């Protein structure tokens, strides 16, 4: 009995080793490379760690980190809602699809960063503009993936629903959206990583708070260790967002992963 | 054994025409690329009958079934269920599809797969749960309520699909080659299940298959279709005893006679088609 129980523990340790091994090695390499150097631009990790604690565990947390995360969350959530609602409408309505698809391709191809000045003119320099920048880039992967997913529902499933008269909202809730959910989730994953980038970029223009603003400020003030600590923080936010996405995906798509596992086994 | 072709039907509601198919034709496409899948099919099904539809592969069985179930509009002719023209999937009909793996909702548990059509019908929760449980018990899956379809074997998945159809409480149960993709042993069990469901519930069953033995073993009546473009080649009454058994029924001389007869009909249909083709 005991031997069998040891296995998952060892397995977990091994997973941890794989996951943490490379970062630890990279950190060590950084430490060794910067140990003797007096370069202003590449401070040793210990200095960055000090700067990290000093900078972000203080008023900057409420002044920069929280507003950034709030804008990120608002932009991403708005993108998901717009993307899924509009995507479902477009995907299920043929004439709407024929009407909109060429235009969607055009707007998707416009890099959202170039919209910043335009949006500034239209919406001012406040949070609305920054959230709009995030939405202008994040909505596309969700929208286009939802359209594809909703369109691609298996015909046998559609016919089954039709013959059992499962229609309207019930069909949307229990058939169409679940069937499209693997694609929608893939869109959301892209939306999150684009959202983080756009959050930073939107804060680099005409801003007085936020992670992006603070990092640029440190750069211009030659506070190099602080700048690096901001970059580290962004990376950690990215990891946390990916972690949350992973949890959500396992919940939403548990059937999908289970089915694929059965098909493979 | 009587050699005449009248046969016993279940006592309930026997005799009245429930489903009526008149001069049904279906042509796909238009112009030079058009394909005539069904030329003209007419038949009636009385309430409480178990009719098997058999024909060579590619003869338009699935097309016929989709027209019957209101999923496809025929090009010509009409289908009527209890006197009402079928233009959309009727309330009183349930369909079991061949591809059980694609016909069950993989994101819903077995319970919810069976229950969803009842929810669409706005059956109150309590009644719905009872109907789902009863249907799953009827097919021998009372223990599998909260598993997912993909966790079950192929035969069990098709049982879930049958349970979904039963729970829907249809007057007509339409089955499209439901056992084509399961192994022989499972298939035999499922055939007996269909006979039992038919007898227990007094439902009218239309069972489409390409398997001649299956059609004779299951049916009280066999409709033999010709090759495409399809017509009804023969309407045959199956005068086998109503209690059927995989071993003893299949060993009856009458069973062999009937299956040989159907087999010959299908061969004739294929030959007839081949000689007819160059003429047109």
């Amino acid at each position: 009995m005991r031997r069998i129980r040891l296995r998952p523990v060892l397995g977990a340790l091994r997973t941890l080793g794989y996951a943490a091994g490379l970062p630890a090695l990279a950190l060590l390499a950084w430490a060794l490379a910067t140990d003797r150097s007096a370069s202003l631009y590449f401070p040793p990790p210990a200095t960055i760690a000090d700067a990290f604690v000093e900078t972000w565990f203080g008023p900057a947390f409420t002044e920069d980190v929280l507003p950034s995360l709030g804008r990120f969350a608002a932009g991403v959530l708005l993108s998901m809602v717009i993307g899924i609602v509009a995507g479902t409408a477009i995907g299920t309505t043929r004439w709407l699809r024929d009407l909109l698809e060429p235009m969607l391709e055009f707007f998707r191809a416009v890099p959202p960063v170039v919209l910043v000045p335009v949006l500034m003119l239209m919406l001012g320099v406040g949070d609305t503009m920054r959230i709009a920048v995030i939405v202008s880039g994040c909505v596309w992967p969700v929208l286009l993936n939802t359209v594809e997913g909703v369109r691609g529902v298996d015909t046998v499933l559609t016919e089954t629903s039709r013959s059992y008269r499962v229609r309207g909202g019930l069909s949307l809730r229990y058939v169409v959206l679940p069937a499209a959910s693997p694609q929608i989730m893939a869109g959301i994953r892209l939306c999150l990583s684009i959202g983080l980038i756009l959050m930073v970029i939107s804060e680099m223009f005409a801003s007085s708070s936020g992670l992006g603003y603070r990092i640029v400020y440190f750069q211009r003030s030659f506070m190099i260790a602080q700048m690096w600590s901001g970059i580290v923080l962004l990376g950690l936010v990215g990891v946390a967002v990916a972690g949350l996405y992973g949890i959500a995906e396992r919940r939403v798509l548990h059937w999908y992963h289970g089915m694929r596992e059965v098909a493979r086994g | 054994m009587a050699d005449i072709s009248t046969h016993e039907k279940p006592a309930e509601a026997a005799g009245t025409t429930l489903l009526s198919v008149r001069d049904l034709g279906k042509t796909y496409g238009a112009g030079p690329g058009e394909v005539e899948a069904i030329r003209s099919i007419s038949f009636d099904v009385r309430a409480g009958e178990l009719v098997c539809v058999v024909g060579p592969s590619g003869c338009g069985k699935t097309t016929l079934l989709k027209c019957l179930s209101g999923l496809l509009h025929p090009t010509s002719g009409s289908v009527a269920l209890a006197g009402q023209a079928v233009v959309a999937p009727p309330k009183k009909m349930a369909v079991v599809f061949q591809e059980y793996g694609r016909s069950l909702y993989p994101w819903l548990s077995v319970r919810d797969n069976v229950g969803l059509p009842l929810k669409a019908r706005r059956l109150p929760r309590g009644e719905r749960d009872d109907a789902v449980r009863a249907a799953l018990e009827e097919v021998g899956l009372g223990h599998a309520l909260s598993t997912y379809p993909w966790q079950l074997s192929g035969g069990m998945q098709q049982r879930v699909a049958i349970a979904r159809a039963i729970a829907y409480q249809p007057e007509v149960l339409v089955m499209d080659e439901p056992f084509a993709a399961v192994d022989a042993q499972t298939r035999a069990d499922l055939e007996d299940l269909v006979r039992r469901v038919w007898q227990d519930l007094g439902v009218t069953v239309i069972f489409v298959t390409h398997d001649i033995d299956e059609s004779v073993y299951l049916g009280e009546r066999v409709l033999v279709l010709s090759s495409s473009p399809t017509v009804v080649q023969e309407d045959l009454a199956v005068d086998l005893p109503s209690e059927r058994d995989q071993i003893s029924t299949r060993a009856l001389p009458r069973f062999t006679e009937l299956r040989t007869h159907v087999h010959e009909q299908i061969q004739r249909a294929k030959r007839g088609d081949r000689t007819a083709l160059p003429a047109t």
Side-chain angles (χ1 to χ4, degrees), chain A residues 22-36:
Chain A
L22 202 57
L25 223 62
L27 217 57
L28 191 71
W30 180 300
L32 286 176
T34 52
D35 188 30
R36 297 286 166 86

Side-chain angles (χ1 to χ4, degrees), chain A residues 162-177:
Chain A
R162 275 180 63 205
S163 73
Y164 285 105
R165 301 158 72 93
V166 177
R167 293 176 290 203
L170 209 62
S171 154
L172 212 58
R173 162 78 182 78
Y174 291 103
V175 183
V176 176
L177 286 178

Side-chain angles (χ1 to χ4, degrees), chain A residues 1-14:
Chain A
M1 280 307 274
R2 263 185 202 166
R3 262 192 194 170
I4 298 166
R5 277 190 194 163
L6 211 57
R7 259 197 183 161
V9 178
L10 283 176
L13 276 176
R14 201 166 67 177

Side-chain angles (χ1 to χ4, degrees), chain A residues 154 160-161 164-165 174 254, chain B residues 89 95 102 105 107 119 148:
Chain A
D154 192 322
T160 303
S161 309
Y164 285 105
R165 301 158 72 93
Y174 291 103
H254 71 101
Chain B
V95 184
R102 289 164 61 197
Y105 308 106
W107 46 86
K119 199 169 187 168
Y148 285 89

